Amino acid sequence: RRVIWEVSVRDFSWDPDGGFARPWRGKYLAFTQEGTTLAGDNVCPTGLNYLRRLGVTHVQLMPVFDYGSVPEGSDAYNWGYDPVNYNVPDGSYATDADDGAVRIRELKEAVQALHQNGLRVIMDVVYNHTYTLDSWLWRTEPWYFYRQNADGTPSDGSGCGNDLASERSMCARYIRESVLYWAREYHFDGFRFDLMGLLDVELMNRIRRALDERFGKGEKLV
């Protein structure tokens, strides 16, 4: 039986009474913290101890790729459903947002710690739209990666101002290779697709087959 628990990286450890190490509050590394700590006058299980007591089997991380509404290195807050760079961890959850290697290492350490405690990790992915139409995809090839209405305006099924054209071959290839990258390099065990209805069914089937071929049927969740 799968018991999936959805959580924001920041929400998991931001509360000062949670007992997390101050530099790790709201960060990837909070998922590596073991043990029971004092919170006020109470003994409170935190971090991995808390997750084990919940009885969950999978932790679903809300978006951890680079997103646009939160300046990295600030205390601003957003759940992250406004993608900028799909294949880069967001620096706001790293202990050093200015060092690109830190965000990569610390996200991998968080996933590894969860695995070592018997938990699988699902990544929430948002391939249906980008933060703005003026994205890196747009700058690569204007309009190719975006759907348009009959009058030439951008399609807005997402309610975010634009929709990716996943039915186009190179857009579909980009999404498929991005999913495989996160599975291969960061060892995510599954993917929750935001507004998956905006992506074409054939692409989703190809992603499912690619994960099965690479990791074994049923080992990766989509």
Side-chain angles (χ1 to χ4, degrees), residues 2 120 189 205 207-222:
R2 298 185 181 109
R120 293 195 173 189
D189 302 290
N205 288 335
I207 290 173
R208 172 76 269 180
R209 288 195 297 270
L211 289 170
D212 288 346
E213 291 170 3
R214 175 65 177 82
F215 300 101
K217 192 170 183 178
E219 291 302 311
K220 297 289 180 183
L221 303 176
V222 177

Side-chain angles (χ1 to χ4, degrees), residues 32 59-60 66 87 98 142 172 189 205 211 216-217:
T32 70
V59 174
Q60 180 179 305
D66 178 52
N87 297 331
D98 295 325
D189 302 290
N205 288 335
L211 289 170
K217 192 170 183 178

Side-chain angles (χ1 to χ4, degrees), residues 62-74:
M62 297 169 77
V64 294
F65 48 66
D66 178 52
Y67 57 90
S69 58
V70 172
E72 294 185 347
S74 76

Side-chain angles (χ1 to χ4, degrees), residues 2 57 125 136 143-145 150 153 158 180 202 210 214 218:
R2 298 185 181 109
T57 61
V125 290
W136 302 120
W143 285 120
Y144 177 82
F145 291 92
T153 58
S158 66
L180 291 173
E202 178 51 34
R214 175 65 177 82

Side-chain angles (χ1 to χ4, degrees), residues 2-219:
R2 298 185 181 109
V3 180
I4 300 172
W5 186 63
E6 180 186 33
V7 67
S8 158
V9 171
R10 176 176 162 125
D11 288 346
F12 176 65
S13 58
W14 186 250
D15 192 326
D17 288 334
F20 290 92
R22 180 63 185 90
W24 292 2
R25 280 176 47 207
K27 308 297 183 182
Y28 297 120
L29 289 182
F31 287 92
T32 70
Q33 181 166 320
E34 295 267 6
T36 300
T37 57
L38 290 175
D41 296 326
N42 300 313
V43 176
C44 174
T46 59
L48 291 167
N49 254 6
Y50 175 68
L51 292 180
R52 285 193 294 264
R53 287 183 52 168
L54 277 182
V56 301
T57 61
H58 294 65
V59 174
Q60 180 179 305
L61 297 179
M62 297 169 77
V64 294
F65 48 66
D66 178 52
Y67 57 90
S69 58
V70 172
E72 294 185 347
S74 76
D75 285 338
Y77 177 70
N78 192 291
W79 278 347
Y81 291 88
D82 43 0
V84 175
N85 292 305
Y86 282 107
N87 297 331
V88 178
D90 194 75
S92 63
Y93 299 142
T95 57
D96 184 352
D98 295 325
D99 186 337
V102 172
R103 68 184 68 191
I104 293 170
R105 182 175 64 250
E106 291 182 351
L107 177 54
K108 289 185 175 184
E109 288 175 354
V111 174
Q112 183 181 52
L114 290 166
H115 283 164
Q116 290 173 343
N117 281 269
L119 297 164
R120 293 195 173 189
V121 190
I122 296 172
M123 183 182 187
D124 200 334
V125 290
V126 189
Y127 293 112
N128 62 81
H129 72 277
T130 54
Y131 180 43
T132 66
L133 191 62
D134 181 24
S135 68
W136 302 120
L137 296 176
W138 172 273
R139 296 182 191 188
T140 299
E141 182 62 39
W143 285 120
Y144 177 82
F145 291 92
Y146 293 91
R147 293 191 186 116
Q148 291 174 268
N149 298 316
D151 63 359
T153 58
S155 173
D156 189 20
S158 66
C160 300
N162 61 80
D163 299 331
L164 289 195
S166 63
E167 66 279 2
R168 295 177 182 164
S169 60
M170 293 308 294
C171 185
R173 177 176 175 178
Y174 178 85
I175 295 171
R176 174 182 171 276
E177 290 183 351
S178 178
V179 172
L180 291 173
Y181 168 76
W182 287 107
R184 181 182 66 251
E185 295 297 327
Y186 290 81
H187 300 275
F188 281 101
D189 302 290
F191 299 89
R192 179 265 175 183
F193 283 76
D194 183 65
L195 295 179
M196 188 168 64
L198 293 177
L199 304 177
D200 61 291
V201 174
E202 178 51 34
L203 170 59
M204 298 307 303
N205 288 335
R206 290 203 302 274
I207 290 173
R208 172 76 269 180
R209 288 195 297 270
L211 289 170
D212 288 346
E213 291 170 3
R214 175 65 177 82
F215 300 101
K217 192 170 183 178
E219 291 302 311

